[in-house]
Amino acid sequence: MKTKKSMMSAAIVQNAVKESFLKLDPRVMMRNPIMFVVEIGFIITLLLILVPDLFGGTVSRGYNLVVTLVLLFTLLFANFAEALAEGRGKAQADTLKKTKQDIKANKVTGNNSVKQVSSSELRKGDIVVVAQGEVIPGDGEVIEGLASVDESAITGESAPVIKEAGGDFSSVTGGTRVVSDQIKVRITSDPGESFLDRMISLVEGAKRQKTPNEIALNTVLTSLTLIFLFVVVTLPFFGNYLNVSLEIPILIALLVCLIPTTIGGLLSAIGIAGMDRVTQFNVLAMSGKAVEAAGDINTVILDKTGTITYGNRMASEFIPAGGHQLAEVAEWAAISSLKDETPEGRSVLALMKKQSLTYNEGLGDNAEFIEFKAETRMSGMDLKDGRYVRKGAVDAVKKWVQSQGGTIPSDLDEGSTRIAKAGGTPLAVAVDNEIYGLIYLKDTVKPGMKERFEQMRQMGIKTIMCTGDNPLTAATIALEAGVDDFIAESKPEDKIAVIRREQAEGKLVAMTGDGTNDAPALAQADVGIAMNSGTVAAKEAANMVDLDSDPSKIIEVVAIGKQLLMTRGALTTFSIANDIAKYFAIIPAMFMVAIPQMDTLNIMRLGSPSSAILSALIFNAIIIPLLIPLAMKGVGYKPMSSPQLLKRNLFIYGLGGVLVPFLGIKLIDLVVHLWV
Ligand SMILES: Nc1ncnc2c1ncn2[C@@H]1O[C@H](COP(=O)(O)OP(=O)(O)OP(=O)(O)O)[C@@H](O)[C@H]1O
Ligand SMILES: [K+]
Ligand SMILES: [Mg+2]
């Protein structure tokens, strides 16, 4: 796991300071009702500096001035927290914007000639040619050729990746560079809607929406604020009755101390920082909601080929069956693959070359190509002499042959079992009702999967591998990767069915996948993570894209999601406990002159009513910057059950929230008392 982006730089801090002032704009503040109340209080005390008898009565000018300043700093601190959280994303967005300059594109026009246009003129469906050394002008799908592409501008990973027509490695991203060979690309996005555009607006938080959890919490906090507003507004009447005169600045200070400004000031920073932590792990989350959902995931569904394995399945051996010759099965395998542009199909022709095997190419003339489909799990050719040639998943080819009255060679299963037990994928090759043998497709499990899935088990997450492959291969890979369960021979709709089944049991489900056949399932899952190596369809259906194409990255996303929820909960607890403590610090001090019995409650022995309130207000302001590091980093997370976590946090942040202000306010009062 790499965290390559720089942490807080001086530039980010500087910019955040500037932003803290700009964010004082009431139109901006209004989005945060709690801090908006503070701002109104600030404006009133500011007016009182200018016109001291604005509301009749007199106000001690020095005291009012200090209250005004402390209120201003409370606002600035809260704004600074948010600006700081936004800072890293904004800096990253600036870097990405540099990648997104206008470049020249070689567009293929009607009569197959090439015309130079600007990348901003490209529309969905346009075809461009990109040669060695050139930057790919827009998102698209490779429709011809194979090239290695440097995607470091987007993924930060310097090793080039292979992109090729057909199959799951065909998607290319605008702004990345072709380092060898040449490809023809069909553009799949209109200007302004590219992956890079989305990535920029994501990291800079332009489209950030409050999550349902955040909205709910905000509602509770706003209600609390309204209750305290009512309490404070009615307080002067009691004061009158007791012959205690309560000046406006005192009332405003009291109100601000009592409303949940700590969490109100840090809430949005917590959310932004959480999203930012996900980005630092090279995962692009399209919504905060998805990140929070990840925190509660029970089940993870993983696709096999291209997700758990590298997915570059290569033909490595032809195995004849039913008394046929090697040359025969090889020839039909080649004929069935003549127009099969998937990596599997092309690897068959590559193996022919490598083994210097020949075949009658003429058989392919005027033949009809039967494209590979996840539904049929076969591909091939209908020859002009009437023969049908197929290769595909063994069970699918068997059924196809049997439906034409053919028989299955007795040694076929022996061969396919050998391949599957080694974790490979066997493809059967047949012509009409006759099976000629097998193709051995090899694939490799990505390293480190077993340890990572074990970690998920400890987090209480069940892993299920869902694959279109046969049960034996699936079992071998499942064992090697260490998933809890697997489902073989699954079609796209089966993957959705598994997700729906888990969801019906009340579980939150994450799905990771890379193929077009995974897209519906990625959309159905609560958290859908597409591999960046995957197809455009997969990336569009998912609500997260993993730029490193590492399926076990879900662990980090889950941890960050949990941390985000916990941090918000902990700071809310702390904030409200704080306000309760402040209540007991201020109220006895305020009324002890009028009601001497209050003195027993005045355990803190604060200097005077006005110094008590000012001290509490100062504490209320400085607690915000003190908690910024916690809001940004998140509270520590160790895998344990949710009730345990809740108990632990209530204890630490609830008790801490009551004790810390007593101590802090007392200390501040020792100084303030000298002056007030
Ligand atoms: N080009 C092809 N021609 C014929 N059969 C193929 C081809 N590619 C794959 N198959 C067969 O079809 C099966 C299903 O392929 P599909 O791509 O739907 O799933 P998969 O890649 O095996 O699994 P996963 O869903 O884990 O990615 C494969 O296991 C293989 O047997
Ligand atoms: K407060
Ligand atoms: Mg796949």
Side-chain angles (χ1 to χ4, degrees):
M1 247 20 69
K2 39 193 171 293
T3 40
K4 44 189 149 318
K5 285 121 207 166
S6 66
M7 298 296 284
M8 287 303 143
S9 71
I12 291 180
V13 176
Q14 237 170 40
N15 199 50
V17 171
K18 195 179 101 193
E19 282 286 315
S20 323
F21 285 91
L22 295 179
K23 282 173 187 277
L24 287 175
D25 181 338
R27 287 165 300 183
V28 180
M29 286 312 296
M30 223 147 40
R31 276 182 269 155
N32 183 340
I34 300 162
M35 296 318 284
F36 189 55
V37 168
V38 179
E39 181 160 54
I40 293 174
F42 162 70
I43 293 170
I44 295 174
T45 55
L46 194 64
L47 284 176
L48 283 174
I49 293 179
L50 307 171
V51 195
D53 58 354
L54 186 65
F55 302 103
T58 52
V59 169
S60 75
R61 291 187 96 154
Y63 192 82
N64 182 53
L65 181 71
V66 177
V67 169
T68 311
L69 280 175
V70 180
L71 290 179
L72 175 63
F73 274 100
T74 311
L75 293 167
L76 290 175
F77 289 154
N79 288 348
F80 180 69
E82 188 181 71
L84 204 56
E86 287 167 344
R88 194 154 46 177
K90 289 227 164 90
Q92 211 171 333
D94 289 341
T95 319
L96 286 172
K97 276 178 192 157
K98 284 186 200 121
T99 308
K100 219 188 95 61
Q101 327 138 334
D102 225 13
I103 45 172
K104 276 182 279 175
N106 299 311
K107 183 176 155 184
V108 179
T109 55
N111 45 14
N112 238 339
S113 58
V114 168
K115 191 181 142 201
Q116 251 195 12
V117 298
S118 150
S119 60
S120 58
E121 291 168 47
L122 292 174
R123 293 288 180 281
K124 224 183 253 181
D126 285 350
I127 308 232
V128 294
V129 179
V130 194
Q132 184 168 341
E134 290 175 352
V135 172
I136 300 173
D139 296 355
E141 248 156 356
V142 181
I143 52 169
E144 216 181 283
L146 176 152
S148 58
V149 176
D150 173 5
E151 295 197 315
S152 58
I154 285 180
T155 63
E157 177 62 63
S158 53
V161 284
I162 301 289
K163 296 289 179 179
E164 53 185 333
D168 290 351
F169 297 107
S170 59
S171 77
V172 289
T173 311
T176 60
R177 185 180 294 274
V178 171
V179 285
S180 78
D181 304 292
Q182 173 168 313
I183 43 177
K184 210 178 241 182
V185 174
R186 186 192 303 112
I187 299 293
T188 51
S189 71
D190 284 331
E193 292 165 6
S194 71
F195 190 65
L196 207 54
D197 289 312
R198 276 202 292 166
M199 196 165 160
I200 290 170
S201 77
L202 249 170
V203 294
E204 87 184 334
K207 281 202 211 119
R208 198 184 103 84
Q209 279 174 338
K210 286 196 180 117
T211 68
N213 281 328
E214 259 178 295
I215 293 170
L217 181 55
N218 237 319
T219 311
V220 174
L221 297 177
T222 308
S223 316
L224 263 178
T225 306
L226 286 176
I227 293 172
F228 280 119
L229 189 62
F230 179 77
V231 168
V232 171
V233 165
T234 50
L235 213 51
F237 299 103
F238 297 105
N240 263 344
Y241 175 76
L242 293 167
N243 260 330
V244 179
S245 91
L246 296 167
E247 292 177 354
I248 301 268
I250 297 246
L251 288 174
I252 289 173
L254 179 65
L255 175 65
V256 171
C257 283
L258 295 185
I259 63 178
T261 47
T262 314
I263 184 66
L266 294 171
L267 189 57
S268 98
I270 295 170
I272 297 167
M275 291 289 281
D276 184 55
R277 278 201 298 280
V278 175
T279 316
Q280 298 317 310
F281 275 106
N282 250 3
V283 174
L284 292 185
M286 307 301 160
S287 74
K289 193 175 153 197
V291 175
E292 289 181 14
D296 290 326
I297 287 298
N298 311 100
T299 309
V300 178
I301 314 279
L302 305 115
D303 151 81
K304 174 179 78 78
T305 313
T307 302
I308 291 181
T309 69
Y310 281 112
N312 46 352
R313 280 191 294 217
M314 292 292 161
S316 67
E317 195 182 336
F318 297 115
I319 304 165
H324 289 289
Q325 299 300 311
L326 174 79
E328 284 178 282
V329 58
E331 170 158 60
W332 292 122
I335 300 296
S336 75
S337 305
L338 281 179
K339 290 189 184 157
D340 183 3
E341 283 293 319
T342 66
E344 289 86 350
R346 264 200 311 270
S347 76
V348 169
L349 297 182
L351 182 63
M352 295 294 288
K353 222 182 230 164
K354 201 171 135 202
Q355 302 197 344
S356 314
L357 291 162
T358 53
Y359 56 97
N360 180 0
E361 251 176 283
L363 282 172
D365 292 345
N366 296 322
E368 192 192 335
F369 170 51
I370 307 296
E371 196 187 346
F372 169 73
K373 286 206 178 72
E375 283 77 22
T376 60
R377 291 185 288 136
M378 295 193 291
S379 61
M381 294 278 233
D382 289 354
L383 305 186
K384 65 172 186 291
D385 63 12
R387 283 183 290 179
Y388 291 172
V389 187
R390 292 291 183 276
K391 70 166 186 296
V394 176
D395 70 305
V397 173
K398 273 186 181 171
K399 271 194 204 119
W400 182 73
V401 164
Q402 278 166 336
S403 74
Q404 303 171 76
T407 52
I408 310 302
S410 56
D411 55 348
L412 187 75
D413 283 350
E414 189 194 311
S416 64
T417 304
R418 171 167 74 85
I419 297 169
K421 277 195 168 155
T425 299
L427 292 187
V429 180
V431 182
D432 293 333
N433 63 3
E434 177 125 29
I435 293 185
Y436 280 79
L438 297 160
I439 307 169
Y440 181 168
L441 296 176
K442 266 194 181 154
D443 200 356
T444 331
V445 173
K446 293 177 185 171
M449 287 299 130
K450 201 160 197 152
E451 297 72 33
R452 306 278 287 160
F453 289 138
E454 176 54 37
Q455 240 173 306
M456 282 197 212
R457 210 161 295 127
Q458 277 166 15
M459 293 164 98
I461 296 171
K462 185 166 105 184
T463 51
I464 307 175
M465 182 182 91
C466 253
T467 174
D469 225 327
N470 71 85
L472 204 51
T473 305
T476 309
I477 299 287
L479 189 71
E480 193 179 337
V483 288
D484 293 327
D485 201 357
F486 69 88
I487 297 170
E489 284 166 359
S490 55
K491 302 197 180 89
E493 60 268 30
D494 299 327
K495 294 192 185 187
I496 296 199
V498 180
I499 296 178
R500 291 217 174 111
R501 186 193 73 202
E502 294 284 317
Q503 285 173 332
E505 290 172 19
K507 292 180 177 147
L508 274 178
V509 183
M511 157 90 196
T512 62
D514 71 321
T516 303
N517 63 341
D518 299 320
L522 285 166
Q524 171 70 34
D526 301 286
V527 179
I529 307 185
M531 305 291 103
N532 189 49
S533 63
T535 61
V536 175
K539 285 193 253 183
E540 272 176 3
N543 45 23
M544 292 187 201
V545 176
D546 177 21
L547 296 177
D548 298 327
S549 305
D550 171 2
S552 71
K553 203 74 87 61
I554 183 83
I555 294 179
E556 273 75 30
V557 179
V558 166
I560 293 169
K562 281 193 196 296
Q563 229 189 354
L564 176 59
L565 296 172
M566 277 166 41
T567 307
R568 195 182 287 147
L571 288 181
T572 304
T573 312
F574 186 85
S575 179
I576 291 176
N578 247 262
D579 294 338
I580 294 171
K582 272 173 243 158
Y583 178 87
F584 283 105
I586 302 170
I587 298 290
M590 255 171 101
F591 290 102
M592 73 188 168
V593 186
I595 318 170
Q597 292 91 322
M598 272 277 185
D599 201 45
T600 39
L601 272 183
N602 186 15
I603 42 175
M604 289 179 69
R605 302 275 140 211
L606 299 180
S608 68
S610 36
S611 92
I613 290 178
L614 195 56
S615 305
L617 189 66
I618 292 173
F619 174 83
N620 189 62
I622 58 179
I623 195 72
I624 295 177
L626 289 181
L627 287 174
I628 288 179
L630 187 64
M632 303 278 280
K633 271 210 335 253
V635 302
Y637 165 72
K638 273 192 230 100
M640 61 168 99
S641 75
S642 302
Q644 260 177 314
L645 272 175
L646 190 70
K647 246 191 261 165
R648 178 170 161 264
N649 282 339
L650 266 183
F651 182 73
I652 299 178
Y653 295 96
L655 195 65
V658 173
L659 295 181
V660 170
F662 273 108
L663 205 73
I665 294 172
K666 179 73 197 170
L667 285 176
I668 297 170
D669 183 72
L670 289 177
V671 181
V672 169
H673 178 54
L674 299 176
W675 172 70
V676 183

